[in-house]
Amino acid sequence: MVRLILFGPPGAGKGTQAEALSKQLQVPHISTGDIFRSAIAAQSELGLKVQSYLDEGKLVPDSVVIDMVQERLAQSDISAGWILDGFPRTVPQAQALDDLLAQIKQDYSLVLNLQVAESFLVQRLLGRQRKDDTEDVIQERLRVYRDDTSPVLEFYNLGTRLVNIDGAADVETVNARIQEAIAGR
Ligand code: AMP
C-alpha cells in the first residue's frame, strides 16, 4: 500500500510525476490544483470561490482546501492508496492532514520533496501554457512557496519519512529516482 505526498515548489514536476506514478502504482492521483481548475471550468460554487486566488497565484484559504481534501479522502477508491500532489501547502494543512489520516486510520508512506533550483523553475513554468504561468503570477507563486509552503518541510523533517529527490532532470530520470526511494523505504 503506497500513500505518497509529492512536495516541492511550483514547476518542480509534481503533477507530471504524480500522474506517471498513479499509472505505475495503480493508485489515485489527488491534485488539489486540478480539482480547483475543474471546478473553475465547471463554474461551480467552489470554482467561483477560488478563481481569484488561482488567477493571482495566492493560496486558497486553508479551511476550503482542507474540507475539499477531507471529502476526497472519504471516497472509496483511496483504500488502494493515493498520491497527494499540491497538498499540504501550509503548516496548518499538514497538521490537518495528520488529523484526517488519524481519523480514517491511515498514514502516509513517504513525503517526496522534489528539489529544483529557482532559476530552472521559472524557465520551466514559462514554457507551460497554464493561465497562472505568466511572469508576475509565477513570481508570486514562488514567493508564496518560500514564505508559506517551505516551512511544511520542517514539519515533516521531524519524522523519518521525508526524502529529497533531485528534480532537475528529465521526467524518466526523476521517475526512476522516486521509484528507488519507494523501493528503499
Ligand atoms: P497547482 O496546480 O498545485 O500548482 O495549484 C494551482 C493553484 O491552486 C495554486 O497556485 C493555489 O492558488 C491553488 N492551490 C492548489 N493547492 C492548494 C493548497 N493545498 N492550498 C492552497 N491553495 C492551493
PDB file of all heavy atoms in Angstrom, residues 31-34 36-37 53-54 57-60 65 85-89 93 130 132 141, ligand 1:
ATOM      1  N   SER A  31      -4.829  15.803  -6.978  1.00  0.00           N
ATOM      2  CA  SER A  31      -4.183  17.104  -7.155  1.00  0.00           C
ATOM      3  C   SER A  31      -5.179  18.192  -6.776  1.00  0.00           C
ATOM      4  O   SER A  31      -6.207  18.349  -7.438  1.00  0.00           O
ATOM      5  CB  SER A  31      -3.754  17.272  -8.617  1.00  0.00           C
ATOM      6  OG  SER A  31      -3.650  18.646  -8.944  1.00  0.00           O
ATOM      7  N   THR A  32      -4.888  18.935  -5.706  1.00  0.00           N
ATOM      8  CA  THR A  32      -5.815  19.999  -5.295  1.00  0.00           C
ATOM      9  C   THR A  32      -5.911  21.065  -6.395  1.00  0.00           C
ATOM     10  O   THR A  32      -6.994  21.580  -6.660  1.00  0.00           O
ATOM     11  CB  THR A  32      -5.376  20.611  -3.946  1.00  0.00           C
ATOM     12  OG1 THR A  32      -3.958  20.825  -3.962  1.00  0.00           O
ATOM     13  CG2 THR A  32      -5.733  19.710  -2.797  1.00  0.00           C
ATOM     14  N   GLY A  33      -4.778  21.346  -7.058  1.00  0.00           N
ATOM     15  CA  GLY A  33      -4.806  22.333  -8.152  1.00  0.00           C
ATOM     16  C   GLY A  33      -5.739  21.875  -9.278  1.00  0.00           C
ATOM     17  O   GLY A  33      -6.526  22.665  -9.803  1.00  0.00           O
ATOM     18  N   ASP A  34      -5.662  20.580  -9.652  1.00  0.00           N
ATOM     19  CA  ASP A  34      -6.533  20.054 -10.722  1.00  0.00           C
ATOM     20  C   ASP A  34      -8.004  20.136 -10.305  1.00  0.00           C
ATOM     21  O   ASP A  34      -8.870  20.470 -11.124  1.00  0.00           O
ATOM     22  CB  ASP A  34      -6.209  18.579 -11.028  1.00  0.00           C
ATOM     23  CG  ASP A  34      -4.956  18.424 -11.891  1.00  0.00           C
ATOM     24  OD1 ASP A  34      -4.432  19.445 -12.378  1.00  0.00           O
ATOM     25  OD2 ASP A  34      -4.513  17.269 -12.068  1.00  0.00           O
ATOM     26  N   PHE A  36      -9.353  22.264  -8.275  1.00  0.00           N
ATOM     27  CA  PHE A  36      -9.774  23.675  -8.379  1.00  0.00           C
ATOM     28  C   PHE A  36      -9.961  24.079  -9.838  1.00  0.00           C
ATOM     29  O   PHE A  36     -10.940  24.760 -10.169  1.00  0.00           O
ATOM     30  CB  PHE A  36      -8.738  24.596  -7.713  1.00  0.00           C
ATOM     31  CG  PHE A  36      -8.704  24.503  -6.210  1.00  0.00           C
ATOM     32  CD1 PHE A  36      -7.506  24.490  -5.522  1.00  0.00           C
ATOM     33  CD2 PHE A  36      -9.886  24.441  -5.474  1.00  0.00           C
ATOM     34  CE1 PHE A  36      -7.464  24.404  -4.130  1.00  0.00           C
ATOM     35  CE2 PHE A  36      -9.867  24.361  -4.084  1.00  0.00           C
ATOM     36  CZ  PHE A  36      -8.645  24.336  -3.420  1.00  0.00           C
ATOM     37  N   ARG A  37      -9.030  23.682 -10.718  1.00  0.00           N
ATOM     38  CA  ARG A  37      -9.176  24.074 -12.140  1.00  0.00           C
ATOM     39  C   ARG A  37     -10.439  23.469 -12.750  1.00  0.00           C
ATOM     40  O   ARG A  37     -11.130  24.138 -13.525  1.00  0.00           O
ATOM     41  CB  ARG A  37      -7.926  23.684 -12.944  1.00  0.00           C
ATOM     42  CG  ARG A  37      -6.770  24.681 -12.755  1.00  0.00           C
ATOM     43  CD  ARG A  37      -5.565  24.342 -13.620  1.00  0.00           C
ATOM     44  NE  ARG A  37      -4.891  23.172 -13.132  1.00  0.00           N
ATOM     45  CZ  ARG A  37      -3.971  23.174 -12.153  1.00  0.00           C
ATOM     46  NH1 ARG A  37      -3.603  24.313 -11.600  1.00  0.00           N
ATOM     47  NH2 ARG A  37      -3.399  22.053 -11.750  1.00  0.00           N
ATOM     48  N   TYR A  53      -8.031  33.448  -6.409  1.00  0.00           N
ATOM     49  CA  TYR A  53      -6.777  33.003  -5.768  1.00  0.00           C
ATOM     50  C   TYR A  53      -5.859  32.370  -6.814  1.00  0.00           C
ATOM     51  O   TYR A  53      -4.659  32.650  -6.851  1.00  0.00           O
ATOM     52  CB  TYR A  53      -7.057  31.980  -4.657  1.00  0.00           C
ATOM     53  CG  TYR A  53      -7.854  32.533  -3.505  1.00  0.00           C
ATOM     54  CD1 TYR A  53      -9.217  32.284  -3.394  1.00  0.00           C
ATOM     55  CD2 TYR A  53      -7.246  33.307  -2.521  1.00  0.00           C
ATOM     56  CE1 TYR A  53      -9.957  32.779  -2.328  1.00  0.00           C
ATOM     57  CE2 TYR A  53      -7.973  33.814  -1.451  1.00  0.00           C
ATOM     58  CZ  TYR A  53      -9.330  33.545  -1.363  1.00  0.00           C
ATOM     59  OH  TYR A  53     -10.048  34.045  -0.314  1.00  0.00           O
ATOM     60  N   LEU A  54      -6.426  31.502  -7.633  1.00  0.00           N
ATOM     61  CA  LEU A  54      -5.590  30.843  -8.647  1.00  0.00           C
ATOM     62  C   LEU A  54      -5.057  31.865  -9.645  1.00  0.00           C
ATOM     63  O   LEU A  54      -3.889  31.835 -10.016  1.00  0.00           O
ATOM     64  CB  LEU A  54      -6.357  29.727  -9.373  1.00  0.00           C
ATOM     65  CG  LEU A  54      -6.296  28.372  -8.634  1.00  0.00           C
ATOM     66  CD1 LEU A  54      -7.395  28.239  -7.612  1.00  0.00           C
ATOM     67  CD2 LEU A  54      -6.285  27.213  -9.598  1.00  0.00           C
ATOM     68  N   GLY A  57      -2.185  33.678  -8.121  1.00  0.00           N
ATOM     69  CA  GLY A  57      -1.079  32.876  -7.588  1.00  0.00           C
ATOM     70  C   GLY A  57      -1.054  32.833  -6.070  1.00  0.00           C
ATOM     71  O   GLY A  57      -0.029  32.531  -5.465  1.00  0.00           O
ATOM     72  N   LYS A  58      -2.201  33.154  -5.450  1.00  0.00           N
ATOM     73  CA  LYS A  58      -2.287  33.123  -3.975  1.00  0.00           C
ATOM     74  C   LYS A  58      -2.819  31.766  -3.528  1.00  0.00           C
ATOM     75  O   LYS A  58      -3.440  31.039  -4.317  1.00  0.00           O
ATOM     76  CB  LYS A  58      -3.280  34.196  -3.487  1.00  0.00           C
ATOM     77  CG  LYS A  58      -3.048  35.571  -4.080  1.00  0.00           C
ATOM     78  CD  LYS A  58      -2.419  36.478  -3.055  1.00  0.00           C
ATOM     79  CE  LYS A  58      -2.381  37.913  -3.538  1.00  0.00           C
ATOM     80  NZ  LYS A  58      -1.011  38.421  -3.602  1.00  0.00           N
ATOM     81  N   LEU A  59      -2.635  31.469  -2.248  1.00  0.00           N
ATOM     82  CA  LEU A  59      -3.167  30.215  -1.727  1.00  0.00           C
ATOM     83  C   LEU A  59      -4.654  30.354  -1.424  1.00  0.00           C
ATOM     84  O   LEU A  59      -5.094  31.367  -0.855  1.00  0.00           O
ATOM     85  CB  LEU A  59      -2.445  29.810  -0.442  1.00  0.00           C
ATOM     86  CG  LEU A  59      -0.984  29.381  -0.589  1.00  0.00           C
ATOM     87  CD1 LEU A  59      -0.433  28.969   0.769  1.00  0.00           C
ATOM     88  CD2 LEU A  59      -0.834  28.250  -1.598  1.00  0.00           C
ATOM     89  N   VAL A  60      -5.414  29.341  -1.786  1.00  0.00           N
ATOM     90  CA  VAL A  60      -6.820  29.241  -1.388  1.00  0.00           C
ATOM     91  C   VAL A  60      -6.826  29.066   0.138  1.00  0.00           C
ATOM     92  O   VAL A  60      -5.939  28.389   0.677  1.00  0.00           O
ATOM     93  CB  VAL A  60      -7.450  28.019  -2.108  1.00  0.00           C
ATOM     94  CG1 VAL A  60      -8.843  27.714  -1.591  1.00  0.00           C
ATOM     95  CG2 VAL A  60      -7.454  28.249  -3.627  1.00  0.00           C
ATOM     96  N   VAL A  65      -9.538  24.313   1.379  1.00  0.00           N
ATOM     97  CA  VAL A  65      -8.726  23.202   0.843  1.00  0.00           C
ATOM     98  C   VAL A  65      -8.883  21.967   1.732  1.00  0.00           C
ATOM     99  O   VAL A  65      -9.056  20.847   1.236  1.00  0.00           O
ATOM    100  CB  VAL A  65      -7.228  23.579   0.786  1.00  0.00           C
ATOM    101  CG1 VAL A  65      -6.454  22.552  -0.008  1.00  0.00           C
ATOM    102  CG2 VAL A  65      -7.025  24.952   0.182  1.00  0.00           C
ATOM    103  N   ASP A  85      -0.802  15.551  -4.469  1.00  0.00           N
ATOM    104  CA  ASP A  85       0.041  16.470  -5.255  1.00  0.00           C
ATOM    105  C   ASP A  85      -0.459  17.890  -5.025  1.00  0.00           C
ATOM    106  O   ASP A  85      -1.580  18.221  -5.391  1.00  0.00           O
ATOM    107  CB  ASP A  85      -0.061  16.018  -6.731  1.00  0.00           C
ATOM    108  CG  ASP A  85       0.222  17.107  -7.743  1.00  0.00           C
ATOM    109  OD1 ASP A  85       0.879  18.099  -7.401  1.00  0.00           O
ATOM    110  OD2 ASP A  85      -0.231  16.940  -8.900  1.00  0.00           O
ATOM    111  N   GLY A  86       0.361  18.710  -4.377  1.00  0.00           N
ATOM    112  CA  GLY A  86      -0.036  20.115  -4.144  1.00  0.00           C
ATOM    113  C   GLY A  86      -0.730  20.324  -2.812  1.00  0.00           C
ATOM    114  O   GLY A  86      -1.232  21.408  -2.544  1.00  0.00           O
ATOM    115  N   PHE A  87      -0.767  19.324  -1.991  1.00  0.00           N
ATOM    116  CA  PHE A  87      -1.348  19.390  -0.644  1.00  0.00           C
ATOM    117  C   PHE A  87      -0.541  18.478   0.253  1.00  0.00           C
ATOM    118  O   PHE A  87      -0.270  17.354  -0.161  1.00  0.00           O
ATOM    119  CB  PHE A  87      -2.809  18.946  -0.651  1.00  0.00           C
ATOM    120  CG  PHE A  87      -3.470  19.020   0.712  1.00  0.00           C
ATOM    121  CD1 PHE A  87      -4.137  20.170   1.114  1.00  0.00           C
ATOM    122  CD2 PHE A  87      -3.393  17.939   1.590  1.00  0.00           C
ATOM    123  CE1 PHE A  87      -4.716  20.243   2.380  1.00  0.00           C
ATOM    124  CE2 PHE A  87      -3.968  18.025   2.855  1.00  0.00           C
ATOM    125  CZ  PHE A  87      -4.636  19.165   3.244  1.00  0.00           C
ATOM    126  N   PRO A  88      -0.141  18.872   1.445  1.00  0.00           N
ATOM    127  CA  PRO A  88      -0.377  20.166   2.085  1.00  0.00           C
ATOM    128  C   PRO A  88       0.607  21.238   1.601  1.00  0.00           C
ATOM    129  O   PRO A  88       1.710  20.937   1.186  1.00  0.00           O
ATOM    130  CB  PRO A  88      -0.134  19.855   3.565  1.00  0.00           C
ATOM    131  CG  PRO A  88       0.830  18.718   3.562  1.00  0.00           C
ATOM    132  CD  PRO A  88       0.543  17.908   2.333  1.00  0.00           C
ATOM    133  N   ARG A  89       0.155  22.475   1.686  1.00  0.00           N
ATOM    134  CA  ARG A  89       0.957  23.614   1.229  1.00  0.00           C
ATOM    135  C   ARG A  89       1.181  24.640   2.320  1.00  0.00           C
ATOM    136  O   ARG A  89       1.806  25.667   2.069  1.00  0.00           O
ATOM    137  CB  ARG A  89       0.197  24.293   0.094  1.00  0.00           C
ATOM    138  CG  ARG A  89       0.878  24.225  -1.272  1.00  0.00           C
ATOM    139  CD  ARG A  89      -0.080  24.898  -2.213  1.00  0.00           C
ATOM    140  NE  ARG A  89       0.427  25.233  -3.491  1.00  0.00           N
ATOM    141  CZ  ARG A  89       0.199  24.552  -4.605  1.00  0.00           C
ATOM    142  NH1 ARG A  89      -0.442  23.411  -4.574  1.00  0.00           N
ATOM    143  NH2 ARG A  89       0.630  25.009  -5.758  1.00  0.00           N
ATOM    144  N   GLN A  93      -2.278  23.049   7.084  1.00  0.00           N
ATOM    145  CA  GLN A  93      -2.779  21.975   6.212  1.00  0.00           C
ATOM    146  C   GLN A  93      -2.092  20.648   6.558  1.00  0.00           C
ATOM    147  O   GLN A  93      -2.724  19.590   6.571  1.00  0.00           O
ATOM    148  CB  GLN A  93      -2.541  22.299   4.732  1.00  0.00           C
ATOM    149  CG  GLN A  93      -3.426  23.406   4.184  1.00  0.00           C
ATOM    150  CD  GLN A  93      -3.176  23.672   2.699  1.00  0.00           C
ATOM    151  OE1 GLN A  93      -2.622  22.855   1.981  1.00  0.00           O
ATOM    152  NE2 GLN A  93      -3.606  24.840   2.250  1.00  0.00           N
ATOM    153  N   ARG A 130      -0.236  27.251 -18.907  1.00  0.00           N
ATOM    154  CA  ARG A 130      -1.299  27.483 -17.944  1.00  0.00           C
ATOM    155  C   ARG A 130      -1.561  28.961 -17.740  1.00  0.00           C
ATOM    156  O   ARG A 130      -0.651  29.773 -17.848  1.00  0.00           O
ATOM    157  CB  ARG A 130      -0.919  26.830 -16.608  1.00  0.00           C
ATOM    158  CG  ARG A 130      -1.790  25.630 -16.297  1.00  0.00           C
ATOM    159  CD  ARG A 130      -1.221  24.825 -15.190  1.00  0.00           C
ATOM    160  NE  ARG A 130      -1.110  25.591 -13.934  1.00  0.00           N
ATOM    161  CZ  ARG A 130      -0.739  25.034 -12.785  1.00  0.00           C
ATOM    162  NH1 ARG A 130      -0.445  23.764 -12.740  1.00  0.00           N
ATOM    163  NH2 ARG A 130      -0.648  25.783 -11.701  1.00  0.00           N
ATOM    164  N   ASP A 132      -2.003  30.612 -15.095  1.00  0.00           N
ATOM    165  CA  ASP A 132      -1.259  31.237 -13.995  1.00  0.00           C
ATOM    166  C   ASP A 132       0.256  31.130 -14.205  1.00  0.00           C
ATOM    167  O   ASP A 132       1.026  31.265 -13.272  1.00  0.00           O
ATOM    168  CB  ASP A 132      -1.679  30.653 -12.631  1.00  0.00           C
ATOM    169  CG  ASP A 132      -1.511  29.136 -12.534  1.00  0.00           C
ATOM    170  OD1 ASP A 132      -1.289  28.496 -13.582  1.00  0.00           O
ATOM    171  OD2 ASP A 132      -1.600  28.604 -11.421  1.00  0.00           O
ATOM    172  N   ARG A 141       3.792  33.078  -6.995  1.00  0.00           N
ATOM    173  CA  ARG A 141       3.683  31.683  -6.540  1.00  0.00           C
ATOM    174  C   ARG A 141       4.999  31.211  -5.901  1.00  0.00           C
ATOM    175  O   ARG A 141       4.979  30.462  -4.936  1.00  0.00           O
ATOM    176  CB  ARG A 141       3.258  30.787  -7.699  1.00  0.00           C
ATOM    177  CG  ARG A 141       1.766  30.999  -8.011  1.00  0.00           C
ATOM    178  CD  ARG A 141       1.358  30.508  -9.377  1.00  0.00           C
ATOM    179  NE  ARG A 141       1.677  29.130  -9.592  1.00  0.00           N
ATOM    180  CZ  ARG A 141       2.054  28.629 -10.777  1.00  0.00           C
ATOM    181  NH1 ARG A 141       2.152  29.425 -11.833  1.00  0.00           N
ATOM    182  NH2 ARG A 141       2.290  27.368 -10.894  1.00  0.00           N
TER     183      ARG A 141
HETATM  184  P1  AMP B   1      -1.039  23.691  -8.513  1.00  0.00           P
HETATM  185  O1  AMP B   1      -1.731  23.082  -9.692  1.00  0.00           O
HETATM  186  O2  AMP B   1      -0.738  22.674  -7.438  1.00  0.00           O
HETATM  187  O3  AMP B   1       0.169  24.496  -8.903  1.00  0.00           O
HETATM  188  O4  AMP B   1      -2.072  24.705  -7.843  1.00  0.00           O
HETATM  189  C1  AMP B   1      -2.568  25.821  -8.561  1.00  0.00           C
HETATM  190  C2  AMP B   1      -3.178  26.824  -7.625  1.00  0.00           C
HETATM  191  O5  AMP B   1      -4.262  26.224  -6.896  1.00  0.00           O
HETATM  192  C3  AMP B   1      -2.259  27.377  -6.556  1.00  0.00           C
HETATM  193  O6  AMP B   1      -1.474  28.467  -7.032  1.00  0.00           O
HETATM  194  C4  AMP B   1      -3.272  27.821  -5.492  1.00  0.00           C
HETATM  195  O7  AMP B   1      -3.937  29.016  -5.878  1.00  0.00           O
HETATM  196  C5  AMP B   1      -4.320  26.703  -5.566  1.00  0.00           C
HETATM  197  N1  AMP B   1      -3.978  25.582  -4.666  1.00  0.00           N
HETATM  198  C6  AMP B   1      -3.700  24.302  -5.029  1.00  0.00           C
HETATM  199  N2  AMP B   1      -3.456  23.542  -3.960  1.00  0.00           N
HETATM  200  C7  AMP B   1      -3.558  24.351  -2.877  1.00  0.00           C
HETATM  201  C8  AMP B   1      -3.386  24.167  -1.478  1.00  0.00           C
HETATM  202  N3  AMP B   1      -3.036  22.970  -0.963  1.00  0.00           N
HETATM  203  N4  AMP B   1      -3.591  25.234  -0.663  1.00  0.00           N
HETATM  204  C9  AMP B   1      -3.946  26.436  -1.161  1.00  0.00           C
HETATM  205  N5  AMP B   1      -4.100  26.685  -2.458  1.00  0.00           N
HETATM  206  C10 AMP B   1      -3.910  25.662  -3.328  1.00  0.00           C
END
